[in-house]
Amino acid sequence: METLLSEDVQGDRLISFLSRINEEIRKKAQELALEHSSSPIRLDVNRLTVVADTVEGPVPLRDMGSGDNHLGYHVATLLSLHEWFAENDNPVPGVLILDQPSQVYFPPDHVGEEVLESDDRVLLLNIFNAIHRTLRRLDGKLQVIVMEHADLEDPAFSNHVVHRWRRRDGEALVPAAWIPPEAD
């Protein structure tokens, strides 16, 4: 038992596990056509970031370009971690909640119902397809809840919508009756 708990053994196991997780992150990054995805990708657990090891040197997530790259690497990393947890029977709850992943594709001053540019639409659908591929592989071991303001008509999105909450219809995720009136 002492051997299993030694720092060397724990360190070696962490390196081994991260190697396998990093491989999955890179596969997903390549499927999403993210910047630097042709380079080795690693989760740096000490700095809590993703790093691409390019021929010019390491490129941390903060320097990897646009918002869609940041979103893509976050999704690729979270899905890869959940895959590893599920496949290795770890006691991590099999739930991932994403809040408005389409946000990176709308301009900062976006208000109302604006249609996504076709390239942005494809990039967003790629994110949803990556989620679906992971869910199919895990066959019920992971639930992904996406709260989204975009409403895409593509089956990769619309076939998985459980409910459309619309405040203008008097519906909301949190019913109005649950919200106490403002104090005077």
Side-chain angles (χ1 to χ4, degrees):
M1 181 63 136
E2 194 171 310
T3 305
L4 284 174
L5 297 176
S6 77
E7 284 186 37
D8 288 343
V9 170
Q10 291 298 311
D12 288 345
R13 290 182 65 181
L14 178 61
I15 290 168
S16 178
F17 298 156
L18 283 172
S19 175
R20 299 180 65 80
I21 293 166
N22 292 339
E23 207 173 293
E24 289 303 315
I25 295 170
R26 182 178 181 193
K27 284 180 193 174
K28 287 174 181 53
Q30 288 175 329
E31 290 171 1
L32 294 169
L34 302 177
E35 276 185 49
H36 305 294
S37 62
S38 61
S39 297
I41 304 295
R42 64 185 158 91
L43 175 59
D44 183 336
V45 295
N46 295 318
R47 293 183 182 92
L48 289 177
T49 192
V50 173
V51 178
D53 289 316
T54 70
V55 293
E56 291 86 25
V59 179
L61 181 62
R62 71 175 179 271
D63 297 332
M64 284 192 197
S66 63
D68 61 314
N69 279 307
H70 292 200
L71 172 65
Y73 275 110
H74 276 92
V75 169
T77 301
L78 292 168
L79 291 174
S80 297
L81 284 166
H82 274 285
E83 274 181 321
W84 192 86
F85 296 144
E87 290 168 351
N88 291 282
D89 297 320
N90 279 273
V92 174
V95 176
L96 174 61
I97 299 174
L98 301 173
D99 186 17
Q100 299 184 40
S102 70
Q103 193 70 27
V104 301
Y105 302 108
F106 287 97
D109 57 352
H110 168 70
V111 290
E113 303 215 5
E114 189 173 323
V115 177
L116 286 173
E117 296 290 327
S118 63
D119 288 348
D120 289 341
R121 181 183 171 81
V122 168
L123 294 170
L124 180 58
L125 287 172
N126 287 344
I127 293 289
F128 287 110
N129 285 323
I131 294 167
H132 296 154
R133 282 190 297 274
T134 300
L135 290 172
R136 280 193 302 272
R137 269 195 302 276
L138 292 178
D139 193 30
K141 292 183 179 180
L142 175 64
Q143 178 183 18
V144 177
I145 299 169
V146 180
M147 294 173 285
E148 184 56 75
H149 70 277
D151 195 1
L152 307 176
E153 292 181 24
D154 190 284
F157 179 86
S158 61
N159 288 353
H160 303 280
V161 174
V162 174
H163 194 81
R164 286 177 171 82
W165 302 100
R166 300 286 186 236
R167 188 176 300 262
R168 66 179 171 261
D169 298 334
E171 294 184 333
L173 181 60
V174 176
W178 292 9
I179 302 170
E182 292 291 323
D184 291 327

